[in-house]
Amino acid sequence: MYSSSTTMNNNRRSTGDSSSSSTMTTTQSSSDNEDMMMAMEDHEQQQEDLHDLRRGPWTDEEDLLLTNYISNHGEGRWNSLAHAAGLKRTGKSCRLRWLNYLRPDVRRGNITPEEQLMILELHSQFGNRWSKIAQYLPGRTDNEIKNYWRTRVQKHAKQLRCDVNSKLFKDTMRNVWMPRLAERIQAAADGTSPQTTNAITGHHFNNNLDFTSVAESTNINEMGMSNTNRRRSIKSEDNYITAKVPASSSTADSLWTNSVTTQAPSPVSDLTYDQYQYYPNFESNCESTTTQTSDTMNYPADYIMTSPSTGYNLNHDFNFQGYTTSSSVHEQQYMSNGSGNWSGSSNSSTTQDNSLWDYLWNPNQDIMFLQQQQF
DNA sequence: AACACCTTCAACCGCCTTATA
DNA sequence: GTATAAGGCGGTTGAAGGTGT
């Protein structure tokens, strides 16, 4: 990984490793001269050390040497510090090890929801200026925040199939993730559990459902056309869990409840969890179940499904025809395809919510899922 | 158990900025 | 004003550990 060739390449480009003795003047004080002599000695020693510099992971012994030296002499002048401490490392390497790992006040471990929220907020303000962001998170290093962003946040952008710098992703972050995080923080402060809330009805997830697995081959219709043996699917990352609604249930209310004491499934990450569901109360609220073909999703006029990224509302007679061959499609595909329309405009609806909806079509089972991504 | 794949994060690279003479 | 050294920063890498098959 850390070959000598890369070392030499780096040193060749280095801005500060060439001789500086020609810059001395005769007007320097004796103190300055001592400093200069020390610097020259350091420099010479560093040139020798270049050939046997250590790279890669730090050992406990090296950590101890660096920590002890800094506790006795303080930080700064990293190149000479490295030599004085007896470390065969570059000054840069020592500095990085100290600032990112050994420093006593460095905080490590899980990024809290509060910190996540702050990172999202600050990133929207400063962009990839990690050190700037780190200034607002005591104990957190720019490196850690950068890693968090790349491994967690960008992962979710990938899941959404959009670029992390795209408007869609930024809007999703601001309109969906950040409010959800704020809710979680508030819930934690209140001592209540976070809940999965149906964005349309405001009902909360019923934790008493029977999630006993149902065979994948079961031919059922999730859109409310079948009255029996209906199945619910909950997505947890890539693992699907199925839930069977009690036979006695005549409506979808067994999936959603008004109770505020129910608890949502555990989040699959610090940032978010996904939930697949299908339209709640669909059957009971539709004018006629027989109108639900595999192409058209009709739902009650008093319900509005809003795109959080555009603020547009989904047409009630939206036509899904032509998407059956795609396992997963996104709203922007609907829009660009032109076979469906979004109506309304941003912020025009008082019933607009901040949920992000995705659609999953399983042609083999004739099932339409709506995915509400919750954060 | 073994292997493949995925995720995390410490450490490095290279460029830019700042400090110093 | 210029040259050089050092510090700082964002991007990238790859080893290590975790997870799935």
Side-chain angles (χ1 to χ4, degrees), chain A residues 19-21 24 33-49 77 79-81 83-84:
Chain A
S19 173
S20 63
S21 57
M24 282 186 71
N33 280 329
E34 283 175 18
D35 284 349
M36 183 58 72
M37 290 303 291
M38 284 177 64
M40 288 172 65
E41 286 170 13
D42 286 345
H43 174 73
E44 287 165 8
Q45 185 63 49
Q46 285 159 18
Q47 288 296 306
E48 290 174 20
D49 290 347
R77 296 179 60 85
N79 280 334
S80 52
L81 182 153
H83 174 236

Side-chain angles (χ1 to χ4, degrees), chain A residues 287-313:
Chain A
E287 296 171 2
S288 168
T289 58
T290 58
T291 64
Q292 310 312 309
T293 71
S294 60
D295 295 334
T296 305
M297 182 174 68
N298 294 327
Y299 54 97
D302 57 333
Y303 287 95
I304 295 175
M305 192 177 297
T306 303
S307 162
S309 58
T310 63
Y312 283 60
N313 300 325

Side-chain angles (χ1 to χ4, degrees), chain A residues 182-193:
Chain A
E183 281 178 19
R184 283 180 59 193
I185 293 166
Q186 187 59 48
D190 295 344
T192 57
S193 301

Side-chain angles (χ1 to χ4, degrees), chain A residues 119-276:
Chain A
I119 290 170
L120 295 180
E121 175 66 44
L122 291 169
H123 188 273
S124 69
Q125 192 177 343
F126 299 123
N128 291 2
R129 297 178 62 189
W130 309 117
S131 60
K132 182 81 175 174
I133 294 171
Q135 289 174 6
Y136 294 83
L137 294 153
R140 297 293 185 184
T141 67
D142 54 352
N143 209 35
E144 191 168 19
I145 293 167
K146 180 171 56 183
N147 281 333
Y148 167 76
W149 185 267
R150 291 187 63 80
T151 60
R152 311 286 178 80
V153 180
Q154 289 195 348
K155 173 185 161 188
H156 288 289
K158 192 178 174 183
Q159 286 177 342
L160 288 171
R161 303 172 192 83
C162 63
D163 187 88
V164 74
N165 294 316
S166 67
K167 183 175 186 305
L168 170 65
F169 186 74
K170 287 177 178 174
D171 286 346
T172 302
M173 206 163 58
R174 177 155 295 283
N175 297 326
V176 184
W177 292 5
M178 292 168 72
R180 298 293 183 194
L181 276 169
E183 281 178 19
R184 283 180 59 193
I185 293 166
Q186 187 59 48
D190 295 344
T192 57
S193 301
Q195 295 175 333
T196 301
T197 304
N198 185 296
I200 294 177
T201 64
H203 289 183
H204 301 300
F205 186 77
N206 186 343
N207 203 39
N208 297 321
L209 278 176
D210 172 16
F211 281 95
T212 305
S213 187
V214 177
E216 287 294 325
S217 60
T218 304
N219 185 18
I220 53 175
N221 192 318
E222 287 283 342
M223 296 184 69
M225 289 186 284
S226 170
N227 288 329
T228 59
N229 199 28
R230 289 171 298 164
R231 190 173 65 170
R232 312 292 195 243
S233 291
I234 303 296
K235 183 183 183 240
S236 173
E237 289 287 300
D238 294 323
N239 301 316
Y240 288 83
I241 305 167
T242 57
K244 186 186 292 183
V245 176
S248 60
S249 173
S250 59
T251 71
D253 283 341
S254 57
L255 180 61
W256 301 95
T257 173
N258 278 317
S259 169
V260 296
T261 59
T262 53
Q263 185 173 340
S266 300
V268 296
S269 77
D270 290 341
L271 190 62
T272 181
Y273 55 83
D274 298 339
Q275 177 178 343
Y276 271 89

